[in-house]
Amino acid sequence: MKYVLMFVETEQFAKDLAAMNADERERAYQRVNQWFIDHSDKIRGGRKLQGPHTATTLRLDGPTPVTTDGPFIEGKEVVSGFTELEVADLDEALRIAKEWPGCPVVELRPVES
């Protein structure tokens, strides 16, 4: 079964990361890289996304489509990246996601086959 893990950054996480010195930030990045290495046999793809200021949102819920710059909501949390896992079931996806050393929120969704 395939699941997409969406990594969600909060404003506080971004502030904490910015406050780190270069060595602390490098150790944080190394933990994330190690997570990808440790689970490489299950990972089927994924990418880091550019910042929310680069987003374009298309709203299709009105009488005509509306295009706006920026994320779809004014929120304090933004999806910053994603990866796709191929695992036996949700329990295995959750086990892997619980080890994520990066941003503080991970949303999991099954991929339709």
Side-chain angles (χ1 to χ4, degrees), residues 4 9 19 46 83 104 107 110 112:
V4 168
E9 291 185 7
T83 195
E107 181 178 328
E112 291 194 25

PDB file of all heavy atoms in Angstrom, residues 4 9 19 46 83 104 107 110 112:
ATOM      1  N   VAL A   4       1.318   8.841   1.160  1.00  0.00           N
ATOM      2  CA  VAL A   4       2.083  10.075   1.033  1.00  0.00           C
ATOM      3  C   VAL A   4       2.185  10.684   2.419  1.00  0.00           C
ATOM      4  O   VAL A   4       1.179  10.809   3.126  1.00  0.00           O
ATOM      5  CB  VAL A   4       1.415  11.059   0.048  1.00  0.00           C
ATOM      6  CG1 VAL A   4       2.048  12.427   0.131  1.00  0.00           C
ATOM      7  CG2 VAL A   4       1.512  10.524  -1.369  1.00  0.00           C
ATOM      8  N   GLU A   9       5.447  22.398   8.273  1.00  0.00           N
ATOM      9  CA  GLU A   9       6.235  23.279   9.126  1.00  0.00           C
ATOM     10  C   GLU A   9       5.318  24.278   9.816  1.00  0.00           C
ATOM     11  O   GLU A   9       4.356  24.758   9.217  1.00  0.00           O
ATOM     12  CB  GLU A   9       7.275  24.038   8.302  1.00  0.00           C
ATOM     13  CG  GLU A   9       8.371  23.146   7.772  1.00  0.00           C
ATOM     14  CD  GLU A   9       9.465  23.920   7.051  1.00  0.00           C
ATOM     15  OE1 GLU A   9       9.454  25.174   7.062  1.00  0.00           O
ATOM     16  OE2 GLU A   9      10.332  23.258   6.469  1.00  0.00           O
ATOM     17  N   ALA A  19      16.980  30.229  14.430  1.00  0.00           N
ATOM     18  CA  ALA A  19      17.760  30.607  15.605  1.00  0.00           C
ATOM     19  C   ALA A  19      18.964  29.691  15.840  1.00  0.00           C
ATOM     20  O   ALA A  19      19.844  30.022  16.633  1.00  0.00           O
ATOM     21  CB  ALA A  19      16.869  30.607  16.849  1.00  0.00           C
ATOM     22  N   GLY A  46       9.530  11.764  -3.609  1.00  0.00           N
ATOM     23  CA  GLY A  46       9.241  12.875  -2.719  1.00  0.00           C
ATOM     24  C   GLY A  46      10.177  14.023  -2.986  1.00  0.00           C
ATOM     25  O   GLY A  46      11.193  13.867  -3.659  1.00  0.00           O
ATOM     26  N   THR A  83       6.856  12.860   0.825  1.00  0.00           N
ATOM     27  CA  THR A  83       7.500  11.651   0.329  1.00  0.00           C
ATOM     28  C   THR A  83       6.440  10.583   0.199  1.00  0.00           C
ATOM     29  O   THR A  83       5.403  10.626   0.862  1.00  0.00           O
ATOM     30  CB  THR A  83       8.661  11.190   1.246  1.00  0.00           C
ATOM     31  OG1 THR A  83       9.455  10.233   0.556  1.00  0.00           O
ATOM     32  CG2 THR A  83       8.173  10.612   2.556  1.00  0.00           C
ATOM     33  N   PRO A 104       7.410  19.511  12.853  1.00  0.00           N
ATOM     34  CA  PRO A 104       6.655  18.860  13.915  1.00  0.00           C
ATOM     35  C   PRO A 104       5.326  18.215  13.526  1.00  0.00           C
ATOM     36  O   PRO A 104       4.700  17.594  14.373  1.00  0.00           O
ATOM     37  CB  PRO A 104       6.416  20.001  14.903  1.00  0.00           C
ATOM     38  CG  PRO A 104       6.364  21.217  14.051  1.00  0.00           C
ATOM     39  CD  PRO A 104       7.350  20.971  12.951  1.00  0.00           C
ATOM     40  N   GLU A 107       1.357  14.698   7.987  1.00  0.00           N
ATOM     41  CA  GLU A 107       0.046  14.210   7.585  1.00  0.00           C
ATOM     42  C   GLU A 107       0.243  13.016   6.667  1.00  0.00           C
ATOM     43  O   GLU A 107       1.040  13.082   5.739  1.00  0.00           O
ATOM     44  CB  GLU A 107      -0.756  15.294   6.864  1.00  0.00           C
ATOM     45  CG  GLU A 107      -2.141  14.840   6.455  1.00  0.00           C
ATOM     46  CD  GLU A 107      -2.956  15.929   5.783  1.00  0.00           C
ATOM     47  OE1 GLU A 107      -2.777  17.116   6.133  1.00  0.00           O
ATOM     48  OE2 GLU A 107      -3.794  15.578   4.936  1.00  0.00           O
ATOM     49  N   PRO A 110      -3.395   7.767   2.295  1.00  0.00           N
ATOM     50  CA  PRO A 110      -3.206   6.671   1.353  1.00  0.00           C
ATOM     51  C   PRO A 110      -3.317   7.190  -0.076  1.00  0.00           C
ATOM     52  O   PRO A 110      -4.063   8.146  -0.346  1.00  0.00           O
ATOM     53  CB  PRO A 110      -4.322   5.703   1.689  1.00  0.00           C
ATOM     54  CG  PRO A 110      -5.323   6.477   2.456  1.00  0.00           C
ATOM     55  CD  PRO A 110      -4.634   7.654   3.050  1.00  0.00           C
ATOM     56  N   GLU A 112      -4.533   6.573  -3.832  1.00  0.00           N
ATOM     57  CA  GLU A 112      -5.521   5.747  -4.520  1.00  0.00           C
ATOM     58  C   GLU A 112      -4.821   4.928  -5.592  1.00  0.00           C
ATOM     59  O   GLU A 112      -3.908   5.398  -6.257  1.00  0.00           O
ATOM     60  CB  GLU A 112      -6.598   6.626  -5.143  1.00  0.00           C
ATOM     61  CG  GLU A 112      -7.472   7.280  -4.089  1.00  0.00           C
ATOM     62  CD  GLU A 112      -8.736   7.868  -4.674  1.00  0.00           C
ATOM     63  OE1 GLU A 112      -9.199   7.424  -5.745  1.00  0.00           O
ATOM     64  OE2 GLU A 112      -9.278   8.775  -4.035  1.00  0.00           O
TER      65      GLU A 112
END
